Amino acid sequence: MSKNKVSRRQFLSYTLTGVGGFMAAGMLMPMVRFAVDPVLQPKASSDFIPTQQKVADITDVPTRVDFKFEQQDAWYTSEETGTAWVYKDDKGEIVALSPVCKHLGCVVDWNSDKANQNHFYCPCHGGLYTKDGTNVPGTPPFAPLDVYPYIEKDGYLHLGKAEPKKGA
Amino acid sequence: MKWVSQDIEMYLKSKEYVDTIVLPLLPVSLGNDVKQSVAMSEFISLLSIQLERQFRGRLIMLPGFSYLKGNSEDKLVSDLKEWEKELYAKDFTHVFYLTSDSFWKAVENKLDGGLIWLPSLPLEHMDENYRTSILEDQVKQLLSLFLQKWQSAE
């Protein structure tokens, strides 16, 4: 038996404080978690969508790259397919262009018009864009093709949201 | 352009560029061939979405023309002729019908618009990726057909 005995009163007050503390914590924890939850949410996967395209495989010829992303319309989430024309320019920089014609929104194709080799061609109204996406004057489109921002992750190309070309 | 306000607004602004209209023909039947008519309508609806995406700047994709499969040939043809008359009267140079129902193939020469008949594919058994790539292939083949029509009119 040790000298400093714990009295019955002390013992009870220690255990009560202990148990009470746990109960309070049990009540408060979910509340705190609930309050700070928005801060802990991961940023919507940084808005870059992974594609199946390996960065090392990109050549200087525009290639079609399809990717899947989820589009949210209010409560309804649907899976959409996006497309990009991807190539490396003279400086070895990757360029990813949106295939949507700036005229009325048809889908442009690379090199599909025999009269205009090495151009993006819109089959609807004959819109033409050069390889870097600049619209050819005299054809209907009035702006260059949109450009996707991109990042490289684990060797694969990740694309962001298409933006109007800078300096246009 | 789809049959929604936003797209039609765009159409009204740039009418001179839109000379083509596409009407999907969707059979409806609740008899023995209900499954078949559903498969046809489903395939054509999915295809029309892809087709509209490819050519949205030059065509209007109408909501489908659904008809009772049990109706007589004369009635169906005369109903469609009425649509045709209205569409041509509204300055569309190219009218296309998109269908899986082989009935229309048989009466094709009675119609002035171009009939695009494609046998329906059992898309419901395919997974999403495969389905999209099949539909895109189909649209690619239609692409040349549309281009031909457009070029021959120029």
Side-chain angles (χ1 to χ4, degrees), chain A residues 53-151:
Chain A
Q53 179 70 40
K54 279 194 183 130
V55 171
D57 293 348
I58 298 173
T59 59
D60 58 348
V61 181
T63 337
R64 203 189 142 129
V65 176
D66 289 326
F67 56 91
K68 285 238 146 72
F69 63 96
E70 293 203 329
Q71 192 177 49
Q72 207 164 2
D73 275 332
W75 292 274
Y76 180 72
T77 318
S78 58
E79 198 170 59
E80 290 282 331
T81 320
T83 306
W85 287 100
V86 180
Y87 68 93
K88 278 191 180 133
D89 67 7
D90 303 338
K91 286 172 238 145
E93 298 242 349
I94 296 168
V95 180
L97 295 172
S98 152
V100 176
C101 181
K102 294 300 275 185
H103 177 220
L104 287 171
C106 292
V107 179
V108 300
D109 209 350
W110 170 250
N111 233 348
S112 65
D113 189 36
K114 288 184 190 73
N116 293 289
Q117 294 287 334
N118 294 322
H119 278 76
F120 289 104
Y121 176 71
C122 174
C124 286
H125 305 101
L128 276 178
Y129 303 87
T130 54
K131 192 175 172 182
D132 62 352
T134 317
N135 49 318
V136 174
T139 61
F142 41 81
L145 291 173
D146 285 354
V147 180
Y148 287 105
Y150 69 91
I151 49 169

Side-chain angles (χ1 to χ4, degrees), chain A residues 121 123-124, chain B residues 55 142-152:
Chain A
Y121 176 71
C124 286
Chain B
F55 287 126
L142 290 180
L143 193 130
S144 53
L145 198 135
F146 274 81
L147 289 183
Q148 249 175 27
K149 283 266 179 183
W150 283 339
Q151 266 155 17
S152 65

Side-chain angles (χ1 to χ4, degrees), chain B residues 21-26 62-67 71-88 95-99 101 103-105 107-116:
Chain B
I21 195 152
V22 180
L23 179 64
L25 306 176
L26 311 170
L62 286 170
F65 168 67
S66 33
Y67 53 92
N71 277 354
S72 72
E73 177 182 324
D74 290 341
K75 176 158 170 47
L76 288 177
V77 173
S78 72
D79 279 358
L80 192 61
K81 287 300 266 184
E82 240 166 81
W83 278 79
E84 195 162 68
K85 214 167 99 194
E86 171 71 10
L87 299 179
Y88 278 118
V95 176
F96 287 102
Y97 308 111
L98 194 62
T99 190
D101 189 352
F103 161 77
W104 296 105
K105 198 70 196 155
V107 296
E108 189 179 7
N109 48 4
K110 293 185 187 162
L111 305 169
D112 293 325
L115 180 77
I116 301 171

Side-chain angles (χ1 to χ4, degrees), chain A residues 6-22:
Chain A
V6 181
S7 71
R8 183 186 302 245
R9 181 184 295 270
Q10 267 176 325
F11 174 77
L12 273 175
S13 80
Y14 287 157
T15 35
L16 270 177
T17 329
V19 171
F22 270 115

Side-chain angles (χ1 to χ4, degrees), chain B:
Chain B
M1 288 157 212
K2 295 188 279 280
W3 194 249
V4 296
S5 319
Q6 207 183 354
D7 287 13
I8 295 307
E9 199 110 326
M10 186 163 90
Y11 160 67
L12 292 173
K13 270 186 211 142
S14 40
K15 251 184 172 168
E16 70 272 24
Y17 287 109
V18 185
D19 61 354
T20 306
I21 195 152
V22 180
L23 179 64
L25 306 176
L26 311 170
V28 174
S29 157
L30 292 167
N32 294 329
D33 48 354
V34 53
K35 271 184 115 171
Q36 201 192 5
S37 75
V38 167
M40 286 175 178
S41 303
E42 189 183 14
F43 172 67
I44 291 300
S45 312
L46 288 171
L47 189 73
S48 67
I49 295 172
Q50 292 286 338
L51 189 67
E52 188 273 337
R53 196 169 291 169
Q54 171 68 44
F55 287 126
R56 62 172 306 137
R58 192 161 173 180
L59 58 76
I60 292 186
M61 183 61 71
L62 286 170
F65 168 67
S66 33
Y67 53 92
L68 284 173
K69 196 99 187 56
N71 277 354
S72 72
E73 177 182 324
D74 290 341
K75 176 158 170 47
L76 288 177
V77 173
S78 72
D79 279 358
L80 192 61
K81 287 300 266 184
E82 240 166 81
W83 278 79
E84 195 162 68
K85 214 167 99 194
E86 171 71 10
L87 299 179
Y88 278 118
K90 290 289 181 294
D91 284 338
F92 288 101
T93 347
H94 305 284
V95 176
F96 287 102
Y97 308 111
L98 194 62
T99 190
S100 278
D101 189 352
S102 51
F103 161 77
W104 296 105
K105 198 70 196 155
V107 296
E108 189 179 7
N109 48 4
K110 293 185 187 162
L111 305 169
D112 293 325
L115 180 77
I116 301 171
W117 177 78
L118 293 158
S120 75
L121 297 169
L123 292 175
E124 71 269 27
H125 301 305
M126 296 171 193
D127 71 62
E128 190 90 21
N129 289 333
Y130 196 49
R131 186 192 298 184
T132 336
S133 76
I134 284 212
L135 283 171
E136 269 170 14
D137 271 0
Q138 299 261 0
V139 168
K140 240 174 238 164
Q141 289 172 38
L142 290 180
L143 193 130
S144 53
L145 198 135
F146 274 81
L147 289 183
Q148 249 175 27
K149 283 266 179 183
W150 283 339
Q151 266 155 17
S152 65
E154 268 161 17

Side-chain angles (χ1 to χ4, degrees), chain A residues 27-40:
Chain A
M27 268 161 63
L28 283 173
M29 278 290 281
M31 288 194 223
V32 173
R33 182 66 176 76
F34 187 72
V36 299
D37 187 65
V39 187
L40 299 177

